[in-house]
Amino acid sequence: MRKNPLLLVIVALVVLALASQCFFTVHQTQKALVLQLGEPLSEVYGPGLHFKLPFIQNVVYFDSRVLDYEARSREAFTVDKKAIVLDNYARWKIIDPLQFYRTMRSIPGAQARLDDVVYSQLRALVGAYTLTEVVSSHRAAIMKEVTDKVSELMKPFGVEVLDVRIKRTDLPAENQRAIFGRMRAERERRESILQAEGQKQSQILVAEGEKQSAILKADAAKQAAILKAEGEKEARI
């Protein structure tokens, strides 16, 4: 009995379709969960080829690498009531994909949560130090404490925070204008003082020169009078 080539092609396509629905691949930089009717199963899949039930199960993938997140700039206040704009970033990774999916669902959701937690901890710690300490002497200690606290708060979401860093600290625009205005006023005041000092020194030098000139003229007149008197005396003799 001859086989119908068209039927063979159809059967082959059906088998390939079923195979594509039964197997899935997890890459080296990923971990995966299998969802059954929308609910995640307990097993977390690492790199390799895996099996799942067709049609009723599907797969979600998670990046297992260290991820970077740059937070938007926000304002905080130091203990000496100085406003400061913090520009920071965090390095984090998903350590429990099952818990991460149950609580965060997606990376954008985790980043939104991370943004709130990092900012609240930064604001609290920055508020315990002066502006000078935040930007210089205590900066490293603040970053370590923030990293530890944020990592602890994010663990229930299946996330580990490896590092939180302040990239840059700026003053708010109105504070910058006020500081620049004070700097300009101080510079102008110093210039006025230097100018007044210069004029004073100039007047002192002029007066000293005039004094010395008067002394020299007086000495010359005195010597001339003496010489004239001696000359007249000698003429009478």
Side-chain angles (χ1 to χ4, degrees):
M1 182 177 179
R2 295 182 59 187
K3 295 181 180 180
N4 189 337
L6 180 58
L7 180 61
L8 292 176
V9 170
I10 293 174
V11 171
L13 291 175
V14 171
V15 170
L16 288 174
L18 286 174
S20 67
Q21 289 292 320
C22 292
F23 295 96
F24 65 96
T25 301
V26 180
H27 297 289
Q28 292 291 331
T29 59
Q30 295 176 323
K31 290 183 180 180
L33 292 175
V34 171
L35 307 182
Q36 183 167 305
L37 301 177
E39 290 298 321
L41 302 182
S42 59
E43 185 176 356
V44 177
Y45 295 88
L49 182 65
H50 305 282
F51 175 81
K52 69 178 181 68
L53 297 177
F55 306 115
I56 65 170
Q57 292 182 340
N58 62 297
V59 183
V60 290
Y61 298 91
F62 301 93
D63 200 325
S64 60
R65 296 171 295 182
V66 175
L67 305 173
D68 292 332
Y69 172 64
E70 293 193 12
R72 64 184 186 276
S73 298
R74 290 186 178 183
E75 189 174 292
F77 288 89
T78 59
V79 72
D80 50 351
K81 307 303 181 185
K82 301 293 178 61
I84 185 173
V85 176
L86 302 173
D87 188 6
N88 61 279
Y89 75 94
R91 300 175 66 245
W92 62 285
K93 65 184 300 185
I94 301 169
I95 57 173
D96 187 343
L98 182 59
Q99 187 65 13
F100 181 85
Y101 181 79
R102 286 172 174 169
T103 55
M104 295 283 99
R105 291 288 177 174
S106 64
I107 287 179
Q111 289 177 336
R113 179 63 180 172
L114 186 62
D115 187 33
D116 291 338
V117 173
V118 170
Y119 174 61
S120 65
Q121 293 303 313
L122 271 176
R123 184 176 57 184
L125 284 174
V126 165
Y129 295 92
T130 65
L131 178 62
T132 302
E133 289 171 339
V134 171
V135 299
S136 57
S137 59
H138 288 68
R139 184 167 180 160
I142 292 172
M143 290 298 92
K144 184 180 185 308
E145 190 170 353
V146 169
T147 300
D148 293 342
K149 288 188 174 182
V150 171
S151 186
E152 182 180 353
L153 291 171
M154 292 299 294
K155 278 185 179 179
F157 303 100
V159 169
E160 180 183 6
V161 178
L162 305 175
D163 195 17
V164 176
R165 292 287 171 183
I166 295 177
K167 295 192 301 181
R168 187 180 62 200
T169 54
D170 290 324
L171 296 173
E174 58 273 15
N175 289 24
Q176 291 184 12
R177 287 192 293 268
I179 289 174
F180 291 153
R182 288 197 296 269
M183 291 173 62
R184 183 168 57 251
E186 178 65 16
R187 184 173 64 249
E188 291 173 352
R189 186 183 70 84
R190 291 179 62 85
E191 288 176 354
S192 298
I193 292 174
L194 292 174
Q195 186 176 7
E197 288 291 335
Q199 291 175 349
K200 181 180 178 181
Q201 290 297 322
S202 177
Q203 291 172 355
I204 292 173
L205 291 174
V206 169
E208 185 66 25
E210 292 176 347
K211 178 182 176 182
Q212 292 296 326
S213 177
I215 292 173
L216 291 173
K217 287 180 179 179
D219 287 342
K222 181 180 179 181
Q223 290 296 325
I226 292 172
L227 292 174
K228 181 179 180 182
E230 289 178 351
E232 290 177 349
K233 182 178 179 181
E234 290 177 358
R236 287 196 297 271
I237 296 173

mmCIF file of all heavy atoms in Angstrom, residues 159-201:
data_model
loop_
_atom_site.group_PDB
_atom_site.id
_atom_site.type_symbol
_atom_site.label_atom_id
_atom_site.label_comp_id
_atom_site.label_asym_id
_atom_site.label_seq_id
_atom_site.Cartn_x
_atom_site.Cartn_y
_atom_site.Cartn_z
ATOM 1 N N VAL A 159 15.035 38.753 45.902
ATOM 2 C CA VAL A 159 16.061 39.614 45.310
ATOM 3 C C VAL A 159 17.195 39.821 46.303
ATOM 4 O O VAL A 159 16.953 40.017 47.505
ATOM 5 C CB VAL A 159 15.452 40.979 44.921
ATOM 6 C CG1 VAL A 159 16.544 41.988 44.566
ATOM 7 C CG2 VAL A 159 14.493 40.803 43.758
ATOM 8 N N GLU A 160 18.424 39.781 45.808
ATOM 9 C CA GLU A 160 19.594 40.141 46.598
ATOM 10 C C GLU A 160 20.203 41.413 46.025
ATOM 11 O O GLU A 160 20.481 41.490 44.824
ATOM 12 C CB GLU A 160 20.638 39.026 46.583
ATOM 13 C CG GLU A 160 21.882 39.367 47.401
ATOM 14 C CD GLU A 160 22.950 38.294 47.330
ATOM 15 O OE1 GLU A 160 22.774 37.333 46.542
ATOM 16 O OE2 GLU A 160 23.954 38.402 48.046
ATOM 17 N N VAL A 161 20.406 42.405 46.867
ATOM 18 C CA VAL A 161 21.029 43.662 46.443
ATOM 19 C C VAL A 161 22.513 43.580 46.785
ATOM 20 O O VAL A 161 22.887 43.420 47.951
ATOM 21 C CB VAL A 161 20.371 44.871 47.127
ATOM 22 C CG1 VAL A 161 21.075 46.160 46.714
ATOM 23 C CG2 VAL A 161 18.891 44.934 46.767
ATOM 24 N N LEU A 162 23.365 43.690 45.781
ATOM 25 C CA LEU A 162 24.806 43.529 45.961
ATOM 26 C C LEU A 162 25.508 44.842 46.282
ATOM 27 O O LEU A 162 26.509 44.862 47.002
ATOM 28 C CB LEU A 162 25.424 42.917 44.700
ATOM 29 C CG LEU A 162 24.811 41.592 44.249
ATOM 30 C CD1 LEU A 162 25.418 41.155 42.932
ATOM 31 C CD2 LEU A 162 25.006 40.523 45.307
ATOM 32 N N ASP A 163 24.984 45.923 45.743
ATOM 33 C CA ASP A 163 25.682 47.198 45.927
ATOM 34 C C ASP A 163 24.737 48.361 45.633
ATOM 35 O O ASP A 163 23.954 48.301 44.681
ATOM 36 C CB ASP A 163 26.895 47.273 44.988
ATOM 37 C CG ASP A 163 27.867 48.378 45.379
ATOM 38 O OD1 ASP A 163 27.789 48.853 46.520
ATOM 39 O OD2 ASP A 163 28.701 48.746 44.533
ATOM 40 N N VAL A 164 24.807 49.382 46.463
ATOM 41 C CA VAL A 164 24.112 50.643 46.217
ATOM 42 C C VAL A 164 25.152 51.749 46.265
ATOM 43 O O VAL A 164 25.931 51.824 47.213
ATOM 44 C CB VAL A 164 23.004 50.909 47.260
ATOM 45 C CG1 VAL A 164 22.362 52.280 47.018
ATOM 46 C CG2 VAL A 164 21.944 49.820 47.212
ATOM 47 N N ARG A 165 25.178 52.584 45.253
ATOM 48 C CA ARG A 165 26.185 53.640 45.167
ATOM 49 C C ARG A 165 25.551 54.971 44.807
ATOM 50 O O ARG A 165 24.613 55.042 44.008
ATOM 51 C CB ARG A 165 27.230 53.301 44.093
ATOM 52 C CG ARG A 165 28.113 52.126 44.446
ATOM 53 C CD ARG A 165 29.107 52.477 45.520
ATOM 54 N NE ARG A 165 29.815 51.292 46.013
ATOM 55 C CZ ARG A 165 30.692 51.320 46.995
ATOM 56 N NH1 ARG A 165 30.959 52.470 47.586
ATOM 57 N NH2 ARG A 165 31.272 50.211 47.395
ATOM 58 N N ILE A 166 26.085 56.036 45.415
ATOM 59 C CA ILE A 166 25.730 57.392 45.000
ATOM 60 C C ILE A 166 26.700 57.794 43.892
ATOM 61 O O ILE A 166 27.908 57.890 44.120
ATOM 62 C CB ILE A 166 25.829 58.389 46.171
ATOM 63 C CG1 ILE A 166 24.794 58.044 47.251
ATOM 64 C CG2 ILE A 166 25.598 59.814 45.677
ATOM 65 C CD1 ILE A 166 24.874 58.937 48.481
ATOM 66 N N LYS A 167 26.189 57.981 42.696
ATOM 67 C CA LYS A 167 27.046 58.382 41.576
ATOM 68 C C LYS A 167 27.452 59.837 41.690
ATOM 69 O O LYS A 167 28.583 60.219 41.401
ATOM 70 C CB LYS A 167 26.315 58.174 40.248
ATOM 71 C CG LYS A 167 26.013 56.739 39.913
ATOM 72 C CD LYS A 167 25.563 56.620 38.471
ATOM 73 C CE LYS A 167 24.330 57.468 38.203
ATOM 74 N NZ LYS A 167 23.853 57.360 36.802
ATOM 75 N N ARG A 168 26.503 60.663 42.108
ATOM 76 C CA ARG A 168 26.761 62.104 42.111
ATOM 77 C C ARG A 168 25.836 62.772 43.119
ATOM 78 O O ARG A 168 24.702 62.344 43.321
ATOM 79 C CB ARG A 168 26.512 62.674 40.719
ATOM 80 C CG ARG A 168 26.920 64.142 40.549
ATOM 81 C CD ARG A 168 26.618 64.584 39.142
ATOM 82 N NE ARG A 168 25.195 64.492 38.857
ATOM 83 C CZ ARG A 168 24.692 64.448 37.637
ATOM 84 N NH1 ARG A 168 25.475 64.452 36.590
ATOM 85 N NH2 ARG A 168 23.376 64.379 37.460
ATOM 86 N N THR A 169 26.344 63.798 43.767
ATOM 87 C CA THR A 169 25.523 64.601 44.670
ATOM 88 C C THR A 169 25.542 66.044 44.178
ATOM 89 O O THR A 169 26.597 66.601 43.916
ATOM 90 C CB THR A 169 26.052 64.537 46.110
ATOM 91 O OG1 THR A 169 27.437 64.914 46.122
ATOM 92 C CG2 THR A 169 25.919 63.139 46.685
ATOM 93 N N ASP A 170 24.368 66.617 44.050
ATOM 94 C CA ASP A 170 24.234 67.999 43.607
ATOM 95 C C ASP A 170 23.350 68.759 44.586
ATOM 96 O O ASP A 170 22.575 68.169 45.344
ATOM 97 C CB ASP A 170 23.604 68.078 42.213
ATOM 98 C CG ASP A 170 24.541 67.570 41.130
ATOM 99 O OD1 ASP A 170 25.761 67.808 41.267
ATOM 100 O OD2 ASP A 170 24.066 66.934 40.181
ATOM 101 N N LEU A 171 23.474 70.069 44.528
ATOM 102 C CA LEU A 171 22.562 70.916 45.279
ATOM 103 C C LEU A 171 21.376 71.261 44.393
ATOM 104 O O LEU A 171 21.510 71.342 43.174
ATOM 105 C CB LEU A 171 23.270 72.203 45.720
ATOM 106 C CG LEU A 171 24.438 72.025 46.698
ATOM 107 C CD1 LEU A 171 25.138 73.356 46.910
ATOM 108 C CD2 LEU A 171 23.952 71.471 48.027
ATOM 109 N N PRO A 172 20.197 71.443 44.970
ATOM 110 C CA PRO A 172 19.058 71.890 44.157
ATOM 111 C C PRO A 172 19.369 73.195 43.444
ATOM 112 O O PRO A 172 20.212 73.983 43.888
ATOM 113 C CB PRO A 172 17.949 72.086 45.203
ATOM 114 C CG PRO A 172 18.347 71.212 46.344
ATOM 115 C CD PRO A 172 19.855 71.229 46.373
ATOM 116 N N ALA A 173 18.685 73.430 42.325
ATOM 117 C CA ALA A 173 18.990 74.597 41.483
ATOM 118 C C ALA A 173 18.896 75.894 42.264
ATOM 119 O O ALA A 173 19.764 76.780 42.134
ATOM 120 C CB ALA A 173 18.031 74.622 40.286
ATOM 121 N N GLU A 174 17.857 76.047 43.114
ATOM 122 C CA GLU A 174 17.715 77.305 43.848
ATOM 123 C C GLU A 174 18.843 77.485 44.860
ATOM 124 O O GLU A 174 19.313 78.600 45.087
ATOM 125 C CB GLU A 174 16.359 77.369 44.556
ATOM 126 C CG GLU A 174 16.076 76.257 45.541
ATOM 127 C CD GLU A 174 15.463 75.036 44.874
ATOM 128 O OE1 GLU A 174 15.533 74.944 43.634
ATOM 129 O OE2 GLU A 174 14.928 74.176 45.595
ATOM 130 N N ASN A 175 19.305 76.353 45.458
ATOM 131 C CA ASN A 175 20.436 76.438 46.382
ATOM 132 C C ASN A 175 21.712 76.805 45.653
ATOM 133 O O ASN A 175 22.541 77.571 46.164
ATOM 134 C CB ASN A 175 20.621 75.107 47.104
ATOM 135 C CG ASN A 175 19.519 74.848 48.104
ATOM 136 O OD1 ASN A 175 18.426 75.391 47.956
ATOM 137 N ND2 ASN A 175 19.771 74.043 49.112
ATOM 138 N N GLN A 176 21.896 76.238 44.455
ATOM 139 C CA GLN A 176 23.079 76.579 43.669
ATOM 140 C C GLN A 176 23.106 78.058 43.340
ATOM 141 O O GLN A 176 24.145 78.715 43.449
ATOM 142 C CB GLN A 176 23.101 75.747 42.388
ATOM 143 C CG GLN A 176 23.367 74.268 42.613
ATOM 144 C CD GLN A 176 23.471 73.527 41.297
ATOM 145 O OE1 GLN A 176 23.558 74.120 40.224
ATOM 146 N NE2 GLN A 176 23.468 72.193 41.376
ATOM 147 N N ARG A 177 21.942 78.596 42.948
ATOM 148 C CA ARG A 177 21.896 80.025 42.627
ATOM 149 C C ARG A 177 22.215 80.873 43.858
ATOM 150 O O ARG A 177 22.935 81.875 43.767
ATOM 151 C CB ARG A 177 20.518 80.386 42.064
ATOM 152 C CG ARG A 177 20.275 79.871 40.651
ATOM 153 C CD ARG A 177 19.034 80.510 40.047
ATOM 154 N NE ARG A 177 17.821 80.093 40.743
ATOM 155 C CZ ARG A 177 17.098 79.048 40.380
ATOM 156 N NH1 ARG A 177 17.465 78.306 39.347
ATOM 157 N NH2 ARG A 177 16.000 78.720 41.046
ATOM 158 N N ALA A 178 21.683 80.455 45.010
ATOM 159 C CA ALA A 178 21.950 81.215 46.241
ATOM 160 C C ALA A 178 23.427 81.160 46.608
ATOM 161 O O ALA A 178 24.025 82.174 46.985
ATOM 162 C CB ALA A 178 21.098 80.659 47.383
ATOM 163 N N ILE A 179 24.023 79.966 46.479
ATOM 164 C CA ILE A 179 25.446 79.816 46.814
ATOM 165 C C ILE A 179 26.305 80.607 45.844
ATOM 166 O O ILE A 179 27.247 81.302 46.240
ATOM 167 C CB ILE A 179 25.840 78.331 46.812
ATOM 168 C CG1 ILE A 179 25.200 77.636 48.020
ATOM 169 C CG2 ILE A 179 27.353 78.164 46.839
ATOM 170 C CD1 ILE A 179 25.402 76.154 48.050
ATOM 171 N N PHE A 180 25.983 80.516 44.544
ATOM 172 C CA PHE A 180 26.749 81.283 43.566
ATOM 173 C C PHE A 180 26.605 82.779 43.824
ATOM 174 O O PHE A 180 27.562 83.548 43.646
ATOM 175 C CB PHE A 180 26.283 80.942 42.149
ATOM 176 C CG PHE A 180 26.639 79.543 41.721
ATOM 177 C CD1 PHE A 180 25.876 78.872 40.771
ATOM 178 C CD2 PHE A 180 27.729 78.888 42.268
ATOM 179 C CE1 PHE A 180 26.197 77.584 40.385
ATOM 180 C CE2 PHE A 180 28.057 77.597 41.895
ATOM 181 C CZ PHE A 180 27.289 76.944 40.951
ATOM 182 N N GLY A 181 25.394 83.206 44.250
ATOM 183 C CA GLY A 181 25.190 84.615 44.565
ATOM 184 C C GLY A 181 26.046 85.046 45.748
ATOM 185 O O GLY A 181 26.656 86.123 45.719
ATOM 186 N N ARG A 182 26.113 84.180 46.785
ATOM 187 C CA ARG A 182 26.953 84.502 47.942
ATOM 188 C C ARG A 182 28.423 84.505 47.557
ATOM 189 O O ARG A 182 29.194 85.358 48.026
ATOM 190 C CB ARG A 182 26.703 83.489 49.062
ATOM 191 C CG ARG A 182 25.359 83.655 49.748
ATOM 192 C CD ARG A 182 25.334 82.934 51.085
ATOM 193 N NE ARG A 182 25.479 81.504 50.928
ATOM 194 C CZ ARG A 182 24.467 80.661 50.786
ATOM 195 N NH1 ARG A 182 23.217 81.113 50.748
ATOM 196 N NH2 ARG A 182 24.673 79.371 50.671
ATOM 197 N N MET A 183 28.830 83.555 46.719
ATOM 198 C CA MET A 183 30.223 83.518 46.271
ATOM 199 C C MET A 183 30.570 84.773 45.479
ATOM 200 O O MET A 183 31.660 85.350 45.656
ATOM 201 C CB MET A 183 30.461 82.265 45.420
ATOM 202 C CG MET A 183 30.407 80.964 46.200
ATOM 203 S SD MET A 183 30.495 79.490 45.143
ATOM 204 C CE MET A 183 32.099 79.715 44.395
ATOM 205 N N ARG A 184 29.642 85.196 44.601
ATOM 206 C CA ARG A 184 29.888 86.406 43.817
ATOM 207 C C ARG A 184 29.965 87.642 44.718
ATOM 208 O O ARG A 184 30.845 88.499 44.545
ATOM 209 C CB ARG A 184 28.793 86.573 42.771
ATOM 210 C CG ARG A 184 29.012 87.779 41.849
ATOM 211 C CD ARG A 184 28.072 87.738 40.656
ATOM 212 N NE ARG A 184 26.676 87.687 41.070
ATOM 213 C CZ ARG A 184 25.895 86.623 40.958
ATOM 214 N NH1 ARG A 184 26.367 85.505 40.443
ATOM 215 N NH2 ARG A 184 24.629 86.645 41.361
ATOM 216 N N ALA A 185 29.056 87.719 45.708
ATOM 217 C CA ALA A 185 29.065 88.853 46.629
ATOM 218 C C ALA A 185 30.356 88.869 47.450
ATOM 219 O O ALA A 185 30.947 89.933 47.681
ATOM 220 C CB ALA A 185 27.853 88.799 47.551
ATOM 221 N N GLU A 186 30.796 87.677 47.887
ATOM 222 C CA GLU A 186 32.033 87.596 48.657
ATOM 223 C C GLU A 186 33.235 87.994 47.810
ATOM 224 O O GLU A 186 34.150 88.689 48.284
ATOM 225 C CB GLU A 186 32.212 86.160 49.184
ATOM 226 C CG GLU A 186 33.495 85.922 49.974
ATOM 227 C CD GLU A 186 33.545 86.713 51.262
ATOM 228 O OE1 GLU A 186 32.490 87.213 51.714
ATOM 229 O OE2 GLU A 186 34.657 86.848 51.810
ATOM 230 N N ARG A 187 33.232 87.553 46.541
ATOM 231 C CA ARG A 187 34.329 87.926 45.657
ATOM 232 C C ARG A 187 34.364 89.436 45.426
ATOM 233 O O ARG A 187 35.426 90.061 45.452
ATOM 234 C CB ARG A 187 34.187 87.196 44.319
ATOM 235 C CG ARG A 187 35.363 87.453 43.367
ATOM 236 C CD ARG A 187 35.282 86.584 42.129
ATOM 237 N NE ARG A 187 34.106 86.891 41.342
ATOM 238 C CZ ARG A 187 33.070 86.071 41.195
ATOM 239 N NH1 ARG A 187 33.060 84.907 41.810
ATOM 240 N NH2 ARG A 187 32.026 86.413 40.452
ATOM 241 N N GLU A 188 33.191 90.028 45.212
ATOM 242 C CA GLU A 188 33.130 91.474 45.015
ATOM 243 C C GLU A 188 33.562 92.217 46.274
ATOM 244 O O GLU A 188 34.225 93.260 46.196
ATOM 245 C CB GLU A 188 31.702 91.870 44.620
ATOM 246 C CG GLU A 188 31.303 91.381 43.226
ATOM 247 C CD GLU A 188 29.839 91.632 42.918
ATOM 248 O OE1 GLU A 188 29.116 92.047 43.854
ATOM 249 O OE2 GLU A 188 29.422 91.405 41.762
ATOM 250 N N ARG A 189 33.187 91.675 47.471
ATOM 251 C CA ARG A 189 33.605 92.315 48.729
ATOM 252 C C ARG A 189 35.112 92.277 48.885
ATOM 253 O O ARG A 189 35.738 93.275 49.260
ATOM 254 C CB ARG A 189 32.940 91.596 49.903
ATOM 255 C CG ARG A 189 33.176 92.271 51.257
ATOM 256 C CD ARG A 189 32.538 91.455 52.369
ATOM 257 N NE ARG A 189 33.249 90.204 52.571
ATOM 258 C CZ ARG A 189 34.348 90.102 53.337
ATOM 259 N NH1 ARG A 189 34.850 91.166 53.936
ATOM 260 N NH2 ARG A 189 34.939 88.938 53.481
ATOM 261 N N ARG A 190 35.700 91.108 48.562
ATOM 262 C CA ARG A 190 37.156 90.990 48.660
ATOM 263 C C ARG A 190 37.856 91.903 47.659
ATOM 264 O O ARG A 190 38.904 92.500 47.954
ATOM 265 C CB ARG A 190 37.569 89.532 48.442
ATOM 266 C CG ARG A 190 37.158 88.607 49.576
ATOM 267 C CD ARG A 190 37.576 87.171 49.286
ATOM 268 N NE ARG A 190 39.030 87.062 49.179
ATOM 269 C CZ ARG A 190 39.839 86.909 50.206
ATOM 270 N NH1 ARG A 190 39.343 86.850 51.436
ATOM 271 N NH2 ARG A 190 41.133 86.793 50.040
ATOM 272 N N GLU A 191 37.279 92.007 46.460
ATOM 273 C CA GLU A 191 37.860 92.910 45.466
ATOM 274 C C GLU A 191 37.808 94.352 45.947
ATOM 275 O O GLU A 191 38.766 95.122 45.757
ATOM 276 C CB GLU A 191 37.121 92.765 44.141
ATOM 277 C CG GLU A 191 37.406 91.455 43.418
ATOM 278 C CD GLU A 191 36.581 91.298 42.159
ATOM 279 O OE1 GLU A 191 35.706 92.167 41.920
ATOM 280 O OE2 GLU A 191 36.811 90.327 41.407
ATOM 281 N N SER A 192 36.696 94.727 46.593
ATOM 282 C CA SER A 192 36.572 96.091 47.125
ATOM 283 C C SER A 192 37.602 96.336 48.214
ATOM 284 O O SER A 192 38.223 97.406 48.283
ATOM 285 C CB SER A 192 35.154 96.314 47.675
ATOM 286 O OG SER A 192 34.197 96.186 46.655
ATOM 287 N N ILE A 193 37.771 95.311 49.100
ATOM 288 C CA ILE A 193 38.762 95.448 50.174
ATOM 289 C C ILE A 193 40.162 95.593 49.601
ATOM 290 O O ILE A 193 40.950 96.446 50.022
ATOM 291 C CB ILE A 193 38.680 94.233 51.123
ATOM 292 C CG1 ILE A 193 37.354 94.262 51.898
ATOM 293 C CG2 ILE A 193 39.862 94.216 52.088
ATOM 294 C CD1 ILE A 193 37.120 93.028 52.744
ATOM 295 N N LEU A 194 40.484 94.730 48.599
ATOM 296 C CA LEU A 194 41.816 94.800 47.981
ATOM 297 C C LEU A 194 42.031 96.134 47.284
ATOM 298 O O LEU A 194 43.122 96.719 47.345
ATOM 299 C CB LEU A 194 41.991 93.638 47.000
ATOM 300 C CG LEU A 194 42.075 92.239 47.615
ATOM 301 C CD1 LEU A 194 42.087 91.171 46.539
ATOM 302 C CD2 LEU A 194 43.335 92.119 48.478
ATOM 303 N N GLN A 195 40.963 96.605 46.604
ATOM 304 C CA GLN A 195 41.070 97.902 45.925
ATOM 305 C C GLN A 195 41.293 99.018 46.932
ATOM 306 O O GLN A 195 42.130 99.913 46.720
ATOM 307 C CB GLN A 195 39.808 98.154 45.110
ATOM 308 C CG GLN A 195 39.898 99.416 44.244
ATOM 309 C CD GLN A 195 38.667 99.587 43.376
ATOM 310 O OE1 GLN A 195 37.704 98.837 43.513
ATOM 311 N NE2 GLN A 195 38.695 100.554 42.492
ATOM 312 N N ALA A 196 40.543 98.981 48.052
ATOM 313 C CA ALA A 196 40.710 100.009 49.080
ATOM 314 C C ALA A 196 42.099 99.924 49.697
ATOM 315 O O ALA A 196 42.749 100.965 49.952
ATOM 316 C CB ALA A 196 39.640 99.838 50.160
ATOM 317 N N GLU A 197 42.576 98.700 49.938
ATOM 318 C CA GLU A 197 43.927 98.532 50.479
ATOM 319 C C GLU A 197 44.982 99.066 49.513
ATOM 320 O O GLU A 197 45.959 99.701 49.915
ATOM 321 C CB GLU A 197 44.194 97.059 50.781
ATOM 322 C CG GLU A 197 43.447 96.505 51.977
ATOM 323 C CD GLU A 197 43.947 97.079 53.284
ATOM 324 O OE1 GLU A 197 45.111 97.514 53.329
ATOM 325 O OE2 GLU A 197 43.170 97.119 54.254
ATOM 326 N N GLY A 198 44.749 98.818 48.227
ATOM 327 C CA GLY A 198 45.689 99.325 47.219
ATOM 328 C C GLY A 198 45.723 100.841 47.183
ATOM 329 O O GLY A 198 46.801 101.460 47.110
ATOM 330 N N GLN A 199 44.530 101.427 47.230
ATOM 331 C CA GLN A 199 44.478 102.893 47.247
ATOM 332 C C GLN A 199 45.146 103.441 48.498
ATOM 333 O O GLN A 199 45.858 104.468 48.434
ATOM 334 C CB GLN A 199 43.018 103.349 47.169
ATOM 335 C CG GLN A 199 42.355 103.065 45.830
ATOM 336 C CD GLN A 199 40.884 103.429 45.829
ATOM 337 O OE1 GLN A 199 40.306 103.710 46.879
ATOM 338 N NE2 GLN A 199 40.267 103.413 44.651
ATOM 339 N N LYS A 200 44.919 102.792 49.641
ATOM 340 C CA LYS A 200 45.527 103.235 50.887
ATOM 341 C C LYS A 200 47.045 103.166 50.798
ATOM 342 O O LYS A 200 47.760 104.113 51.179
ATOM 343 C CB LYS A 200 45.015 102.377 52.044
ATOM 344 C CG LYS A 200 45.577 102.784 53.405
ATOM 345 C CD LYS A 200 45.016 101.895 54.494
ATOM 346 C CE LYS A 200 45.617 102.273 55.849
ATOM 347 N NZ LYS A 200 45.091 101.403 56.931
ATOM 348 N N GLN A 201 47.556 102.027 50.309
ATOM 349 C CA GLN A 201 49.001 101.872 50.164
ATOM 350 C C GLN A 201 49.564 102.892 49.183
ATOM 351 O O GLN A 201 50.657 103.446 49.393
ATOM 352 C CB GLN A 201 49.325 100.444 49.689
ATOM 353 C CG GLN A 201 49.072 99.369 50.735
ATOM 354 C CD GLN A 201 49.957 99.546 51.958
ATOM 355 O OE1 GLN A 201 51.129 99.926 51.856
ATOM 356 N NE2 GLN A 201 49.376 99.280 53.130
#
